[in-house]
């Protein structure tokens, strides 16, 4: 695990400054070539007749994102290391698409990992340039991933990802955000040398609970402008969105509480 977790070091190095300042999340990308943008594709299995529960789908997405990052093939010298390292060294952008039936089956052969939680399935893929995305992924729709809210009850044991109660997001957008959150938690554990905690989390399949916070919980856990203290004292990291889709730049979408 130590060798694999090294892939997260670029994220470790920039976490505090990146999340402390709103302007850090809104860097100018006007000169960026869209075809060269690196993305981690995620595919949500949403069958027409029997769609998954929204919470279970988000929990599967959260686990899939970090599982593919910390796969043995991503360690230095591994076959996935170079594309994963290049992606984590920049903006950790993700795009969530939906699939059903034959289209879901078609993407299973592409490099990545599928995670199932409570009957919900999500596959996270090796990051790639937009121009290099295979047709099995690009033909899938991004829109239409909305699912009805469910009532999952109290969080289980382990990490909890708290969605911002004041920021509505589609299931696809939320899936990308909770995927960011598990990566940030793993990076913070790596930074403090908590290899045993990472090993234990991995052994449990990177399971975590996803819940929408109430106002009291959100205000109590929010790092504000001091992410270092929030992690050290409250074991909380945060996802601050760049604002490319659905939400305003600098919006904190998820608080990741390590328990």
């Amino acid at each position: 695990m130590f060798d694999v977790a090294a892939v997260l070091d670029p994220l470790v190095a920039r976490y505090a400054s990146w999340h402390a300042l709103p302007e850090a999340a809104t860097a100018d990308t006007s000169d960026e070539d869209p075809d060269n943008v690196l993305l981690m594709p995620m595919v949500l299995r949403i069958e027409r007749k029997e769609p998954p529960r929204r919470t279970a789908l988000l929990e599967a997405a959260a686990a899939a994102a970090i599982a593919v990052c910390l796969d043995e093939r991503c360690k230095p010298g591994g076959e996935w290391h170079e594309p994963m390292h290049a992606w984590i060294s920049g903006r950790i952008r993700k795009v969530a698409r939906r699939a059903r039936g034959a289209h879901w089956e078609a993407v299973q052969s592409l490099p990545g990992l599928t995670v199932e939680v409570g009957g919900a399935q999500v596959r996270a893929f090796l990051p790639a340039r937009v121009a290099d995305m295979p047709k099995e992924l690009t033909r899938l729709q991004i829109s239409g991933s909305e699912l009805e809210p469910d009532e999952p009850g109290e969080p289980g044991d382990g990490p909890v990802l708290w969605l911002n109660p004041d920021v509505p997001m589609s299931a696809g957008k939320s899936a990308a955000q909770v995927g960011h959150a598990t990566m940030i938690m793993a990076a913070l554990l790596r930074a403090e040398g908590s290899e045993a905690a990472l090993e234990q989390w991995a052994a449990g399949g990177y399971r975590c609970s996803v819940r929408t916070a109430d106002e009291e919980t959100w205000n109590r856990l929010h790092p504000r402008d001091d992410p270092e203290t929030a992690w050290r004292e409250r074991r909380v990291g945060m996802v601050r969105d760049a604002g490319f889709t659905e939400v305003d730049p600098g919006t904190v979408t998820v608080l990741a509480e390590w328990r």
Side-chain angles (χ1 to χ4, degrees), residues 31-248:
D31 294 334
E32 192 173 62
D33 181 353
D35 284 344
N36 285 327
V37 170
L38 287 171
L39 294 174
M40 173 187 278
M42 303 177 72
V43 175
L44 319 179
R45 185 177 189 180
I46 304 179
E47 298 290 344
R48 190 186 306 277
K49 291 185 177 180
E50 296 184 10
R53 290 184 299 110
R54 192 178 198 274
T55 297
L57 192 72
L58 296 183
E59 292 178 350
I66 188 58
V68 75
C69 290
L70 297 185
D71 185 275
E72 282 292 317
R73 288 164 286 188
C74 293
K75 68 183 180 182
E79 61 183 299
W80 288 1
H81 177 73
E82 287 190 14
M84 187 63 73
H85 175 75
W87 176 64
I88 291 176
S89 296
R91 292 176 177 271
I92 54 171
R93 297 182 188 174
K94 299 180 177 72
V95 59
R97 300 176 183 269
R98 63 179 175 87
R100 62 174 64 100
H103 285 177
W104 169 256
E105 296 301 328
V107 301
Q108 298 307 302
S109 62
L110 300 176
L113 291 174
T114 297
V115 170
E116 180 173 342
V117 174
Q121 293 180 298
V122 174
R123 187 169 181 85
F125 298 86
L126 193 64
R129 293 192 319 135
V130 169
D132 297 332
M133 292 289 174
K135 66 180 186 302
E136 291 90 345
L137 290 173
T138 57
R139 71 185 178 186
L140 301 177
Q141 292 188 356
I142 296 175
S143 61
S145 64
E146 195 45 71
L147 295 167
E148 291 297 321
D150 57 328
E151 297 181 4
E154 292 298 313
D157 295 335
V160 184
L161 310 181
W162 298 100
L163 299 172
N164 189 329
D166 298 320
V167 180
M169 295 182 289
S170 68
K173 177 70 172 180
S174 298
Q177 299 301 295
V178 296
H180 295 340
T182 49
M183 287 182 63
I184 287 168
M185 275 199 301
L188 291 170
L189 291 169
R190 160 78 175 172
E192 67 183 18
S194 296
E195 297 296 331
L198 269 176
E199 293 276 7
Q200 185 176 6
W201 194 22
Y206 300 104
R207 289 295 300 270
C208 52
S209 300
V210 176
R211 299 292 186 271
T212 298
D214 57 33
E215 294 292 341
E216 187 279 330
T217 299
W218 187 261
N219 291 329
R220 173 173 54 84
L221 294 177
H222 202 302
R224 308 301 172 194
D225 60 353
D226 192 358
E228 182 179 355
T229 298
W231 177 254
R232 186 175 64 250
E233 296 183 357
R234 301 193 297 281
R235 310 299 281 171
V236 174
M238 66 176 172
V239 178
R240 190 188 292 280
D241 194 67
F244 294 116
T245 61
E246 294 194 25
V247 303
D248 294 332

Side-chain angles (χ1 to χ4, degrees), residues 12-30:
V12 172
R14 70 179 187 273
Y15 174 79
S17 61
W18 182 25
H19 289 77
L21 301 173
E23 58 267 27
T26 58
D28 182 17
T29 58
S30 59

